[in-house]
């Protein structure tokens, strides 16, 4: 194994019990991520027990993992070490007794191992797995990672949390949001609270509005059964966009520890005003109703854009605009902070001042973390002609780029270490469903939009007199 350890101290001896181990998420992210954490020395003593509804054996699971690594891992060194990692993999057939026996066999005579249960299963199956873990006696000294959505409304969220808490203590539960595991999301905290330049301006006196824009070019990708019961708002906004928004809006934590950061995030959620239906645009791309598994009369939204407010001293009257959807023009993940323009211009008419909108600080939440600050500058030559310039920073251009962890890798590691900083709580989830209830009770009509567009035309009325940051007026520099 390599000695490089980008996140400091390694995690303790851990047995990962991976439910849904043959599914898409496990193959694309979790198995490659666990291999990388092991090879990099972050989880040096790990055992992975896979299980799903299929009856397999150890060799068949290893072959599934091998193909997943070959297809989805982009680290050549990881691939070279797979033959050693394969010795740490084993399989558990479905059923309480089989799972209990497989974990015992994997752990052998080693004592005091942490157990991490990763539920890469559909939400409807989560509680059955929780009960299975209880019956197998695998709750003590364990942690559980749960995938979204965490309920579909306030009532279902409360029922889900109550059922989980009958088996697991809240300190053992990690509700995962992979957006918060990205370098750029964490850079929001670094930029705000480690620098004297930005935090004094991070308020309603200097910031005009904030956009969080997560369009997706992909369609359903075979998830019609899941998507028909959720839609874009439940699938993305409550579990992803609001969580990222909390990082941008939170007050300064008293310390860089999970309790302090979680409390500040929850203060943001408690300060949010209920979502008004007339501040929401719902859309559905043309052809969605012809997708396999979709009702011909479906009113499920594949697109959502909304305006919301954090009603506290820092953010009163500053709108937060959120947008996400399927089959849009391109896939992007950005947070854009729009600063207020000068109250009066001394520059002559025709100088270009104001032509390209306000100054923006933009965070790109893609895997290649980037930040950009745009501002007006003078064009060289006679006269006083202004144009937009930008300063850009990208992680790939630094000597630290080799230390970047993929989002799921970081979140698995943080869960192993018991660090809740990048995870949400039961109270936070329930509060977000509470402010969502007016929208869920009275959703606005679904508008049509063409695949490959940026959504229904009504999005421009929603954000007026501002404009959507995407598409960019200029491309990121390579």
């Amino acid at each position: 194994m390599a000695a490089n350890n980008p996140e400091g101290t390694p995690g303790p001896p851990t047995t990962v019990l991976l439910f849904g181990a043959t599914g898409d998420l496990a193959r694309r992210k979790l198995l490659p991520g666990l291999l990388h954490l092991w090879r990099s020395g972050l989880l040096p003593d790990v055992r992975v027990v896979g299980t799903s509804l299929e009856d397999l054996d150890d060799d068949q699971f290893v072959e599934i993992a091998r193909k997943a690594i070959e297809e989805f891992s982009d680290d050549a060194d990881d691939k070279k070490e797979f033959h050693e990692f394969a010795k740490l993999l084993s399989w558990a057939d479905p059923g309480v007794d089989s799972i209990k026996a497989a974990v015992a066999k994997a752990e052998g005579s080693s004592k005091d191992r942490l157990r991490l249960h990763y539920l890469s299963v559909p939400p409807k199956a989560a509680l059955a797995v929780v009960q299975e873990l209880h019956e197998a006696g695998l709750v003590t000294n364990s942690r559980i990672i749960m995938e979204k959505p965490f309920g579909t409304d306030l009532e279902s969220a409360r029922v889900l949390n109550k059922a989980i808490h009958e088996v697991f203590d809240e300190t053992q539960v990690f509700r995962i949001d992979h957006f918060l595991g990205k370098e750029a999301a964490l850079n929001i905290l670094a930029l705000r609270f480690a620098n004297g330049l930005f935090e004094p301006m991070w308020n309603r006196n200097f910031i005009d509005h904030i956009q969080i824009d997560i369009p997706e070019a992909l369609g359903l990708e075979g998830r019609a059964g899941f998507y028909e019961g959720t839609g874009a708002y439940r699938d993305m906004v409550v579990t992803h966009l609001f969580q990222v928004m909390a990082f941008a809006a939170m007050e300064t934590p008293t310390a860089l520890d999970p309790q302090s950061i979680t409390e500040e995030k929850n203060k943001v959620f408690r300060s949010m005003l209920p979502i008004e239906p007339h501040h929401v645009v719902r859309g559905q791309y043309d052809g969605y109703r012809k997708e396999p598994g979709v009702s011909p009369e479906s009113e499920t939204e594949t697109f959502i854009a909304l305006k919301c407010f954090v009603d506290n001293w820092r953010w009163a009257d500053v709108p937060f605009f959120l947008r996400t959807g399927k089959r849009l023009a391109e896939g992007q993940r950005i947070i854009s902070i729009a600063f207020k323009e000068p109250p009066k211009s001394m520059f002559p008419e025709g100088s270009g001042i104001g032509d390209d909108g306000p100054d923006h600080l933009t965070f790109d939440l893609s895997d290649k973390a980037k930040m950009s600050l745009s501002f007006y500058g003078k064009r060289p030559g006679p006269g006083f002609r202004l144009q937009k310039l930008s300063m850009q920073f990208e992680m790939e251009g630094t000597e630290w780029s080799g230390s970047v962890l993929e989002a799921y890798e970081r979140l698995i590691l943080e869960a192993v270490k018991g660090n809740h900083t990048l995870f949400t709580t039961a109270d936070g989830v329930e509060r977000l469903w509470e402010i969502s209830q007016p929208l869920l009770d009275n959703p606005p009509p679904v508008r049509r939009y063409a695949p490959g567009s940026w959504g229904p035309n009504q999005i421009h009325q929603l954000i007026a007199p501002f404009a959507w940051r995407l598409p960019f007026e200029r491309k990121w520099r390579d």
Side-chain angles (χ1 to χ4, degrees), residues 87-213:
K87 299 174 183 177
L88 309 176
L89 304 178
S90 57
W91 183 257
D93 286 331
V96 172
D97 293 337
S98 299
I99 290 172
K100 185 176 181 179
V103 170
K105 181 180 177 182
E107 294 180 343
S109 59
S110 58
K111 303 295 184 182
D112 300 322
R113 296 183 66 85
L114 175 74
R115 290 167 182 151
L116 181 69
H117 309 306
Y118 199 119
L119 274 58
S120 179
V121 299
K124 292 181 180 178
L127 288 184
V129 173
V130 168
Q131 189 59 37
E132 205 169 33
L133 291 169
H134 175 61
E135 293 175 7
L138 297 175
V139 174
T140 302
N141 197 33
S142 75
R143 296 180 179 125
I144 181 170
I145 294 181
M146 304 195 68
E147 283 283 342
K148 63 160 177 94
F150 315 117
T152 55
D153 54 22
L154 179 58
E155 182 180 359
S156 62
R158 284 174 172 167
V159 169
L160 177 62
N161 285 328
K162 183 175 183 293
I164 292 170
H165 290 159
E166 288 176 355
V167 178
F168 289 92
D169 185 81
E170 177 64 16
T171 60
Q172 296 176 277
V173 182
F174 292 78
R175 299 168 186 83
I176 197 166
D177 171 15
H178 68 275
F179 281 85
L180 294 187
K182 295 181 177 295
E183 285 287 347
L186 299 175
N187 253 321
I188 298 173
L189 299 183
L191 186 112
R192 286 189 60 188
F193 303 129
N195 300 287
L197 175 62
F198 291 105
E199 182 58 19
M201 300 187 297
W202 211 268
N203 57 62
R204 64 191 302 272
N205 296 320
F206 297 95
I207 291 178
D208 196 70
H209 65 280
I210 293 177
Q211 295 182 31
I212 300 175
D213 214 349

Side-chain angles (χ1 to χ4, degrees), residues 284-474:
Q284 187 185 95
Y285 66 79
D286 293 331
Y288 171 77
R289 295 178 181 179
K290 296 180 181 179
E291 297 272 10
V294 174
S295 166
E297 289 85 33
S298 175
E299 291 295 313
T300 299
E301 79 276 357
T302 62
F303 171 96
I304 193 92
L306 62 125
K307 175 168 62 174
C308 59
F309 295 90
V310 178
D311 192 28
N312 59 21
W313 278 32
R314 182 184 290 265
W315 297 114
D317 300 323
V318 174
F320 288 74
F321 295 100
L322 282 56
R323 176 173 63 170
T324 187
K326 300 287 188 183
R327 300 291 301 276
L328 296 175
E330 58 185 273
Q332 291 277 3
R333 298 168 180 174
I334 72 158
I335 304 172
S336 190
I337 315 297
F339 294 98
K340 289 186 176 181
E341 297 186 70
K344 187 172 177 62
S345 174
M346 68 178 189
F347 298 100
E349 188 175 348
S351 65
I353 187 72
D355 287 355
D356 292 312
D359 301 336
H360 284 83
L361 177 63
T362 302
F363 298 86
D364 185 343
L365 299 184
S366 64
D367 290 334
K368 295 183 178 180
K370 299 177 182 178
M371 289 187 292
S372 171
L373 178 63
S374 69
F375 53 91
Y376 285 99
K378 181 187 177 299
R379 182 187 296 177
F384 219 105
R385 181 69 180 171
L386 302 174
Q387 69 179 46
K388 266 293 176 70
L389 307 172
S390 69
M391 293 189 298
Q392 296 185 7
F393 161 84
E394 49 130 0
M395 192 66 70
E396 291 293 310
T398 74
E399 62 183 14
W400 319 318
S401 59
S403 297
V404 174
L405 286 181
E406 197 275 333
Y408 278 99
E409 295 169 4
R410 171 176 285 105
L411 293 168
I412 289 172
L413 181 62
E414 295 302 324
V416 167
K417 293 181 176 181
N419 186 345
H420 279 85
T421 300
L422 303 179
F423 300 86
T424 191
T425 64
D427 290 345
V429 167
E430 291 179 15
R431 171 58 183 166
L432 290 175
W433 284 121
E434 183 180 5
I435 65 169
S436 301
Q437 206 59 49
L439 171 62
L440 301 180
D441 291 340
N442 295 290
V446 171
R447 311 288 184 176
R448 316 299 299 179
Y449 66 95
S453 69
W454 288 101
N457 289 333
Q458 287 79 6
I459 62 172
H460 304 297
Q461 301 168 18
L462 175 71
I463 202 170
F466 315 120
W468 289 100
R469 183 75 166 138
L470 289 174
F472 285 130
E473 69 272 11
R474 63 182 60 77

